[in-house]
Amino acid sequence: MPTTMYGAESALVGFVFTDAITALGNLRILGTATAAMAVTYLVVGAVADLRRVMRRRRMAKLTAALSVVLFADEEVAAQAAERLVRIPASVLLPVLQGLAADLDGESDERLRNIVFVTGTTRAIVRRLRSRRWRRRVQAASLCPLLPAGDPARTVLLDDRHPIVRSRAAEHLEREDVARSAPRLLALLDDPSDAVRFAAQHALLQGDGRIIEPLADYLREADGPGVVWALEVAGTLRDPRLGPAVEHHLASEHVDRRAMAARSLVPTNDGLLRIRELLDDPEGEVRAAALAAIARPGGEALAAHVGRLLSDRSWKVRQEAGRSLAEMGPTGGLVLRIHLSDVDPYARDMARRVLDDLEAKGGRAVAPASIPRGLDPWEPDGGDHEAEERAA
Amino acid sequence: MSTASDIVVGILFLVVAVSVTGQLMLYVSAAFEIRRIRQRDRHQLWRQMLTSPLAPRISVLVPAYNEEVTITDSVAGLLALTYPNLEVVVVNDGSSDETMARLIAGFELSPVHTAFQRVIDTEPVRQLYHSSVEPRLVVADKHNGGKADALNAAINLASGDLVCAIDADTLVASDALQQLVPPFLADSSTVAVGGTIRLVNGARANRHRIEQLVAPSNVLVGAQAVEYARAFLVGRLAWNPLGGNLIISGAFGLFRRQAVLDVGGYEHQSVGEDMELVVRLRRHAYEHGARAAVLFTPDPVAFTEAPDSIRMLARQRNRWFRGLLDVLVRHRRMIGNPRYGTAGMLAMPYFTVVEALAPVLEVLGTVLVIVGLTMGWIEVADLAPVLGAYLVGICATYLVLILDQVVFSTYRTTRDRLRLVGHVVFEQFVFRPTTAIWRLWGLKLFLEGRTEWGVQHRKGFASG
């Protein structure tokens, strides 16, 4: 192609007539490639649609067959189970995986039976031992289908991959939690936050059965997992944990003191401990102690909680308000008394909590207005916005 | 003249080569990342654990300004999310329409005393409301101060450890929050996680949920659908393994509340407040010797309405571009500075060279080609790199759509996919060059110091 030097007009003419073939050639390449990609996209889309429909049908059939096996009377269920034996484990596993966590009682027993009869147990065990972590992740959610008491059910708690460990903890059944409590408690020190959280979740599934190992752990351990164990204790709020938590109440670590405070129960000794913690120098600990009061038995400290409506920390004032709101009539009375508190912060919080209670359908209380210039939430003081609105 | 010709062709070749190499790098990175995420998240990861009483509380922050058409639907949709430990904080940012009245009527709101902890300074809150039918809802009516100000007010009011910033017109998939939370549980240094945004125009909504996503029939919206798919599935995802994520969409993102409070919340003066916050979070972490992970996870989906008129779209694009420029200028110290790790050495230079300079280069390139052809400086054969760039662009877009189809099955009918085929061509040859002009307009306004948002008109999901 010659480089034209005859000015714009002739160059344009040159482009139109001389280079048209090159332009068309380039455009043809572009057009062909675009069309090819478009066709590929449409074909892939159609194939994906087809696969989705087929998978959905297969799953629907399988789920229907499984529901007969799980819920129909024994004779019908036995016939349906025979048909399931012919289905390969790779097809059965994803469906069983979804069911494993959601069944209990007789249906759970039947499901385990299907797993045994269809030879799926072997497939699960193979996955447990797989070198690929993705397969072990799948096995973790299928472990509950293995026979009760089988040590393989908890083997993945010690897996080298953190995602597998966390999945294994997440899917532990209640009886396994009780049996593996010490290992779960050890996982609270795991460097992976995901594993630690899963272990906490699993421990909470164990309810009363983990109290004893948890108490032992709280008495003896001193690692980073103690805070998380105290958080579990704070969620369980079992009075039997009181003695084990006791020495953490005097810990030099603020987070440990706060978590320990949350696990206290407002009865007898617990009430005394909470009262002491309400005077802790750290706001976080005072707030945690207030959270522990917000339940039956806490009314005994209502007047003390009322005083904390004037605390220097917003979090403590807020928690004090919440606790009083939870205390029913006693708390309501204290809140109303503080509507005329000399401290504007206390008045403000009391008024807010009572308004909240009223908005949520509780007892109606006429809000006391804060005198002009004393409203701490307005930088220049006063309720001037209300006046502006009125104007 | 041959020198001029060589220079022009050389510039074209260089621009195309840099652009294509950058894009290819991101595509490869995105492909690996999507494989990794799918491997990690299959088998319903975290499904049980997020029902735990220890699961973090999430406050969904909804800034609303003149959103009377969509506000009750949006809030009801948020309250219907399946996440167990949830709070919804709506801030009416001095709307001049019926937004507040609709909220009061729709959720039986009662005024409560306006006491809250003002950690971040905002325009005054006129009144707080609690609902008698929905205890998880908190509504604040405040003086107008802009979106960033409304979000800051909502952060002040929020009680959750995590805050989810969304637009008032955003619909969120019912399990989207469950999928955003795991990165926070898995790594305590995670400060923000974003999800995919898809366009709701034309989709069928029922009871605040999207029943079926439909490819838009409007070419303007269709081109945006293609662009969103590419931006989220490649543009955001690719930065995960590189550690260079700088954008969490303002329409849907989850943040650690304390981290946001530590940096002083959203920046009032920025029109790109979402990107600015993320960059500031990362910068703050680097400067304090901490780590701040910002991640994008493609599965959780939120739906938003795209502008369907040229005027609104132009306004939106020039605002986005001004936002980008504002962030780059504010945080120019980070660009190429090894102190800021991959954010400084990789992401910020990329956003400066590829994103901020793109409209200038695109328009300049087009002008050069036209002038060059007209003056005879270049021949048609020399345009091969340009056509090559278009070819790469189209192929890359189709690869994203194929990936989207295989992994997420976004569009489920052949008709939808046929529509999308047309939209790809329109997006490549018409939409992109046009947005370059709008972005240039944004550059002009930015240099003039204009920071206004402009008006957005909503049609509402029910009419979709």
Side-chain angles (χ1 to χ4, degrees):
Chain A
M1 292 290 153
T3 306
T4 50
M5 294 288 289
Y6 313 118
E9 198 176 320
S10 48
L12 196 61
V13 172
F15 167 69
V16 172
F17 292 105
T18 316
D19 295 346
I21 297 167
T22 312
L24 280 174
N26 285 339
L27 285 174
R28 197 180 297 138
I29 293 170
L30 191 63
T32 310
T34 306
M37 289 305 290
V39 170
T40 310
Y41 170 58
L42 291 172
V43 170
V44 168
V47 171
D49 275 353
L50 199 65
R51 284 186 62 187
R52 195 176 56 245
V53 170
M54 284 167 65
R55 192 169 58 233
R56 196 182 294 158
R57 276 189 199 154
R58 199 171 60 221
M59 287 295 167
K61 273 185 190 169
L62 198 54
T63 310
L66 270 170
S67 51
V68 172
V69 175
L70 296 175
F71 304 112
D73 59 62
E74 284 188 16
E75 201 175 317
V76 180
Q79 287 170 359
E82 279 175 23
R83 286 198 294 275
L84 283 178
V85 174
R86 291 193 291 271
I87 298 171
S90 58
V91 179
L92 260 180
L93 281 178
V95 184
L96 295 177
Q97 190 182 356
L99 290 169
D102 300 330
L103 293 176
D104 53 11
E106 195 195 341
S107 306
D108 192 34
E109 281 300 312
R110 286 190 183 188
L111 189 66
R112 283 166 203 244
N113 196 33
I114 291 171
V115 170
F116 184 73
V117 170
T118 54
T120 314
T121 313
R122 286 194 301 278
I124 297 172
V125 171
R126 270 201 306 277
R127 277 171 169 70
L128 280 175
R129 292 172 187 159
S130 172
R131 278 190 300 170
R132 292 187 191 169
W133 68 269
R134 280 185 295 154
R135 292 191 146 229
R136 298 202 302 277
V137 163
Q138 193 186 16
S141 59
L142 291 162
C143 278
L145 295 173
L146 295 173
D150 188 338
R153 283 165 65 117
T154 57
V155 74
L156 291 177
L157 285 176
D158 303 318
D159 195 273
R160 62 184 177 279
H161 200 294
I163 292 181
V164 180
R165 288 200 298 277
S166 71
R167 289 287 283 169
E170 182 184 3
H171 283 279
L172 280 186
E173 296 244 308
R174 198 163 284 180
E175 62 265 31
D176 294 325
V177 171
R179 217 152 18 91
S180 319
R183 283 159 79 192
L184 286 170
L185 286 160
L187 287 181
L188 296 178
D189 289 316
D190 198 284
S192 160
D193 287 339
V195 178
R196 186 264 303 162
F197 185 82
Q200 283 185 295
H201 169 76
L203 286 165
L204 287 174
Q205 304 301 307
D207 292 333
R209 303 183 202 193
I210 60 136
I211 298 297
E212 208 174 304
L214 180 59
D216 290 344
Y217 180 85
L218 286 171
R219 271 190 217 100
E220 290 155 18
D222 195 32
V226 170
V227 176
W228 309 119
L230 284 167
E231 191 175 24
V232 173
T235 310
L236 290 171
R237 286 180 168 175
D238 193 303
R240 287 174 289 171
L241 290 168
V245 165
E246 184 77 34
H247 75 279
H248 295 294
L249 293 171
S251 168
E252 58 182 9
H253 302 289
V254 177
D255 49 354
R256 282 195 197 177
R257 281 211 307 280
M259 287 292 185
R262 275 182 194 279
S263 65
L264 291 172
V265 181
T267 52
N268 306 326
D269 282 354
L271 214 51
L272 285 173
R273 295 283 166 275
I274 292 172
R275 183 169 180 161
E276 285 166 20
L277 290 168
L278 290 178
D279 297 325
D280 193 279
E282 292 294 333
E284 200 180 322
V285 180
R286 294 198 296 280
L290 284 164
I293 291 177
R295 68 169 93 181
E299 307 89 47
L301 291 176
H304 202 103
V305 174
R307 283 200 288 281
L308 287 174
L309 288 170
S310 309
D311 195 277
R312 61 186 178 278
S313 155
W314 159 268
K315 198 174 173 185
V316 174
R317 293 200 299 276
Q318 189 184 35
E319 209 58 65
R322 272 191 203 149
S323 294
L324 289 167
E326 292 290 322
M327 285 178 193
T330 314
L333 185 66
V334 172
L335 282 167
R336 267 174 284 163
I337 289 169
H338 282 279
L339 283 175
S340 50
D341 199 303
V342 287
D343 179 50
Y345 291 91
R347 281 203 307 272
D348 220 35
M349 187 52 73
R351 192 172 140 192
R352 166 76 193 267
V353 175
L354 287 165
D355 276 2
D356 281 352
L357 280 173
E358 192 180 8
K360 288 168 185 168
R363 199 173 23 259
V365 177
S369 62
I370 295 179
R372 289 185 67 173
L374 286 178
D375 189 338
W377 311 111
E378 297 307 328
D380 43 270
D383 198 5
H384 66 275
E385 283 175 16
E387 288 174 9
E388 273 177 19
R389 281 202 306 282
Chain B
M1 247 14 245
S2 66
T3 314
S5 166
D6 289 347
I7 290 171
V8 171
V9 172
I11 289 172
L12 282 176
F13 186 78
L14 191 69
V15 169
V16 169
V18 168
S19 169
V20 169
T21 310
Q23 294 293 320
L24 283 177
M25 197 180 74
L26 288 181
Y27 274 80
V28 171
S29 173
F32 279 109
E33 182 64 2
I34 206 158
R35 185 166 178 268
R36 195 186 68 84
I37 286 179
R38 296 299 291 181
Q39 284 180 350
R40 190 194 64 193
D41 290 351
R42 63 194 297 194
H43 314 310
Q44 304 165 23
L45 190 63
W46 298 93
R47 190 183 70 141
Q48 290 191 38
M49 274 196 279
L50 291 173
T51 61
S52 165
L54 300 176
R57 183 172 174 78
I58 294 181
S59 299
V60 181
L61 316 178
V62 190
Y65 178 72
N66 289 349
E67 302 280 357
E68 62 178 10
V69 181
T70 56
I71 192 69
T72 46
D73 269 350
S74 290
V75 174
L78 292 171
L79 289 166
L81 292 176
T82 53
Y83 191 78
N85 197 357
L86 184 75
E87 171 191 57
V88 177
V89 182
V90 183
V91 174
N92 176 42
D93 191 33
S95 298
S96 54
D97 66 356
E98 292 294 301
T99 302
M100 198 60 228
R102 299 241 169 135
L103 281 168
I104 291 172
F107 298 98
E108 298 181 25
L109 300 179
S110 309
V112 296
H113 181 51
T114 312
F116 62 96
Q117 191 181 24
R118 193 181 292 177
V119 185
I120 308 170
D121 200 27
T122 65
E123 289 292 317
V125 172
R126 288 189 196 115
Q127 185 66 61
L128 278 183
Y129 295 87
H130 275 190
S131 167
S132 56
V133 291
E134 185 43 83
R136 296 172 301 162
L137 177 64
V138 177
V139 178
D141 184 21
K142 67 179 273 291
H143 289 279
N144 182 263
K147 186 183 172 187
D149 192 66
L151 280 166
N152 284 341
I155 291 168
N156 281 338
L157 289 163
S159 63
D161 307 315
L162 304 176
V163 289
C164 179
I166 70 160
D167 284 345
D169 63 321
T170 301
L171 285 183
V172 181
S174 58
D175 63 344
L177 291 179
Q178 269 95 332
Q179 302 196 47
L180 280 184
V181 172
F184 288 95
L185 297 177
D187 182 359
S188 56
S189 71
T190 304
V191 293
V193 177
T196 304
I197 310 282
R198 293 201 188 273
L199 299 185
V200 77
N201 305 51
R204 281 198 291 279
N206 184 27
R207 298 178 68 84
H208 329 299
R209 290 277 165 270
I210 298 299
E211 277 188 334
Q212 194 186 342
L213 209 58
V214 177
S217 52
N218 180 323
V219 284
L220 213 53
V221 181
Q224 291 176 78
V226 171
E227 192 190 29
Y228 270 55
R230 200 178 47 226
F232 282 96
L233 290 183
V234 175
R236 306 277 165 89
L237 198 60
W239 285 109
N240 270 359
L242 304 173
N245 256 324
L246 294 183
I247 304 180
I248 296 292
S249 170
F252 184 49
L254 193 61
F255 295 84
R256 206 177 282 280
R257 179 172 179 260
Q258 193 53 53
V260 178
L261 290 176
D262 289 345
V263 298
Y266 286 89
E267 171 57 54
H268 294 218
Q269 301 299 323
S270 177
V271 281
E273 78 293 326
D274 43 4
M275 182 180 181
E276 201 283 331
L277 175 66
V278 176
V279 174
R280 196 147 36 88
L281 281 168
R282 299 205 63 173
R283 181 175 178 171
H284 181 266
Y286 280 118
E287 287 175 354
H288 289 80
R291 205 176 147 258
V294 176
L295 297 169
F296 172 77
T297 179
D299 260 349
V301 174
F303 303 90
T304 192
E305 205 182 348
D308 58 3
S309 76
I310 291 177
R311 199 169 153 212
M312 300 300 291
L313 184 63
R315 207 176 275 173
Q316 182 199 55
R317 291 313 162 102
N318 102 58
R319 190 182 72 237
W320 283 3
F321 194 67
R322 277 183 288 143
L324 171 70
L325 294 175
D326 177 72
V327 172
L328 292 175
V329 170
R330 272 174 201 273
H331 300 282
R332 57 187 176 277
R333 200 179 152 179
M334 290 175 75
I335 302 171
N337 190 336
R339 185 185 176 194
Y340 299 100
T342 46
M345 294 303 287
L346 208 58
M348 289 294 275
Y350 173 86
F351 277 97
T352 308
V353 175
V354 178
E355 298 288 342
L357 292 180
V360 180
L361 291 177
E362 281 174 35
V363 173
L364 194 68
T366 310
V367 171
L368 266 179
V369 166
I370 292 169
V371 172
L373 284 173
T374 313
M375 299 302 291
W377 296 341
I378 53 174
E379 297 170 21
V380 174
D382 295 332
L383 292 181
V386 179
L387 289 173
Y390 272 110
L391 197 62
V392 170
I394 283 187
C395 291
T397 303
Y398 273 117
L399 282 176
V400 171
L401 293 182
I402 290 169
L403 185 76
D404 191 26
Q405 199 57 43
V406 171
V407 180
F408 302 107
S409 299
T410 308
Y411 296 107
R412 300 196 166 184
T413 66
T414 308
R415 197 179 69 165
D416 283 334
R417 290 191 288 270
L418 274 171
R419 268 186 192 165
L420 234 54
V421 165
H423 294 326
V424 169
V425 177
F426 178 79
E427 195 263 346
Q428 194 69 34
F429 294 105
V430 183
F431 185 81
R432 257 168 124 169
T434 314
T435 59
I437 295 166
W438 292 331
R439 283 179 285 163
L440 268 189
W441 174 38
L443 174 65
K444 176 182 167 283
L445 294 182
F446 178 77
L447 294 173
E448 288 171 2
R450 303 264 292 272
T451 56
E452 74 270 21
W453 263 64
V455 185
Q456 295 275 55
H457 295 291
R458 307 290 186 205
K459 289 189 171 176
F461 304 116
S463 65

